[in-house]
Structures are given as structure tokens and as C-alpha cells.
Amino acid sequence: MPALVFWIDVDNTLLNNDHVKAELESELRAVLGEVLTERFWSLYEAVRHERGVVDIPQALARLRAQTPLQELPEVTFRHACALFEQYPFAAALYPEARETLEHLSRLGLTVIVSDGDHLFQAEKIVNSHLAEAVGGRVLIYDHKERHLEETMGRYPGEHYVAIDDRLDLLAACKSQLGERLTTVFVHQGRHAEEGLQRPGHYQADRSVEAIGELRRYEAADFLLAGSNH
């Protein structure tokens, strides 16, 4: 059993998802036009609100179902879908993301634990070569904080480290596992910034400005839970 098991988030932790979303929006406007692009993002937010997680395939399916063929020809819709399917996710990784995974793999067992739909999110993780970087150890849940026991059962360890850009999610995990878990907050992306602006926000055990900073950490830095810096 490994002494350390790292649970590593993807969006805005290893991969600059804010940048990906901005680029996809620009490309969608070129393919769909302003009106349909706005309709897609409205459906995207509706699905996210309903499920509590991003689900690109469901948002696209609703766009198809709710838009007549004369307004959205099938060839145009397929082109829009291809924008998501063929996006070069490897180019959107944060600097030193792969190197950080390699470093952490020398300290313990690395596991990607991500929220999202099981189709698009899985393709993103594979196409960005992140799945390969963690030896195929990838778990995708609608709400990963609700599956901690299952995650520990799949990849047991003596101590766990959750690395994420969302303070609310880290707080939820910490409340369940206490000192068995070290939380690491990565200050990247809009969710990180929003979390810091909330009054009385959770203080993670460790905090870094960029994922690459974790390359300077050794095993003892993760085992000493509870002392902030």
C-alpha cells in the first residue's frame, strides 16, 4: 500500500479550462453564429445547474433537439460537435503540469479524480495525455466529494492528498476525512478566485499559485497536514 495517494483534479488544476472555454466560444461563434452560440451556452448552464456538473454532450444534444434543421443544418451541428471532439487539449495544459505529475509519481501513487460527464471529460483527459501520465488511473464522477470511500477503495493508501482549484470541494473532502487527508489549493482559474472572495472561505493545508510549484515539494511536505503556507 503506498504511503501517499494523490487525488489530482483536471480543470483549472492541470489544464487551463478557462482558456479552453474562451477559445471554444470563439470557434462556436464562427460556426454557429451569435444566436445559436448564445443558445448553446444557455443550455450548457441549464444542464450544469440541474446536474451540478458540466455535461457538454447533454448540452449539445439539447441544442440539436430544440433547434429546427432549417435553423441548424445537421452538417453545421456536426461541425460544432467536432470543435469539442478535436480540440488540442494537450496544448492547454498549464506549464510544468506533466512534469509535476512525474514528480508526484515518485512520491506516491497519482490518480486523476475529476468531475464531469463520462464522455467528453474522459476524451479530454485521454487527448491531453494526462491519463497516460498517471498510468491510466482516472476516476470521473458527477460529484467526486460524494465518492471518497469508493476512491479510497480503488486506490488505497496510508495518507491522501487532494489537489484542486476549488476551496469548497477541498473543504467538503476535509470534513469527511480529517487528518487522513492533506488538501492542496491551486490558485488558478476563476473558481479559485471566486473561492478566495467568499467570506470565511476554507483555508487549505497547502496553497500554491501554480501547479508547477508542487515540483519543489517532498513527501514530508504533504504528510504534515494542518500547517498552512
Side-chain angles (χ1 to χ4, degrees):
M1 180 183 296
L4 281 175
V5 177
F6 296 95
W7 300 337
I8 309 157
D9 179 54
V10 174
D11 293 334
N12 289 334
T13 299
L14 294 170
L15 185 144
N16 189 341
N17 202 58
D18 290 347
H19 173 73
V20 170
K21 187 177 178 182
E23 283 206 330
L24 284 170
E25 179 167 1
S26 176
E27 293 174 0
L28 279 173
R29 290 186 187 280
V31 172
L32 297 177
E34 297 290 328
V35 173
L36 288 181
T37 298
E38 290 298 329
R39 186 179 303 171
F40 168 78
W41 289 117
S42 177
L43 292 167
Y44 168 99
E45 290 298 336
V47 172
R48 186 166 70 91
H49 178 74
E50 290 170 17
R51 297 194 54 202
V53 67
V54 170
D55 190 332
I56 296 289
Q58 181 61 26
L60 287 168
R62 290 191 188 184
L63 179 68
R64 175 69 286 171
Q66 297 178 18
T67 311
L69 279 173
Q70 60 267 31
E71 188 178 349
L72 177 58
E74 187 64 17
V75 63
T76 304
F77 175 69
R78 291 299 172 192
H79 189 178
C81 292
L83 294 177
F84 293 93
E85 296 164 358
Q86 299 173 10
Y87 187 89
F89 290 106
L93 294 177
Y94 281 109
E96 301 183 324
R98 287 288 300 270
E99 294 85 348
T100 299
L101 289 177
E102 292 173 7
H103 174 70
L104 295 178
S105 71
R106 292 191 286 270
L107 306 181
L109 189 71
T110 52
V111 184
I112 284 178
V113 186
S114 178
D115 284 331
D117 70 89
H118 289 254
L119 178 61
F120 179 70
Q121 194 69 5
E123 290 179 351
K124 178 193 297 184
I125 294 168
V126 170
N127 293 342
S128 61
H129 308 299
L130 291 174
E132 177 187 3
V134 297
R137 293 179 295 275
V138 176
L139 299 174
I140 301 173
Y141 298 112
D142 284 354
H143 299 279
K144 58 189 176 183
E145 72 276 15
R146 300 177 185 174
H147 297 271
L148 300 187
E149 292 296 333
E150 179 182 341
T151 301
M152 290 187 292
R154 293 283 298 274
Y155 300 105
E158 296 176 13
H159 190 80
Y160 301 92
V161 181
I163 303 172
D164 209 293
D165 65 296
R166 286 181 51 190
L167 285 170
D168 59 336
L169 196 146
L170 291 173
C173 295
K174 188 71 171 184
S175 69
Q176 296 177 61
L177 298 184
E179 294 306 309
R180 288 191 291 169
L181 176 73
T182 299
T183 56
V184 179
F185 173 58
V186 185
H187 188 183
Q188 296 173 163
R190 67 182 183 88
H191 290 300
E193 198 59 40
E194 290 168 1
L196 287 173
Q197 291 173 2
R198 293 191 185 100
H201 63 76
Y202 170 69
Q203 298 285 332
D205 297 318
R206 294 286 184 266
S207 181
V208 293
E209 291 298 314
I211 189 68
E213 292 180 26
L214 293 180
R215 296 180 67 194
R216 301 198 297 266
Y217 280 51
E218 298 301 330
D221 298 314
F222 295 109
L223 289 167
L224 296 175
S227 59
N228 300 324
H229 65 222

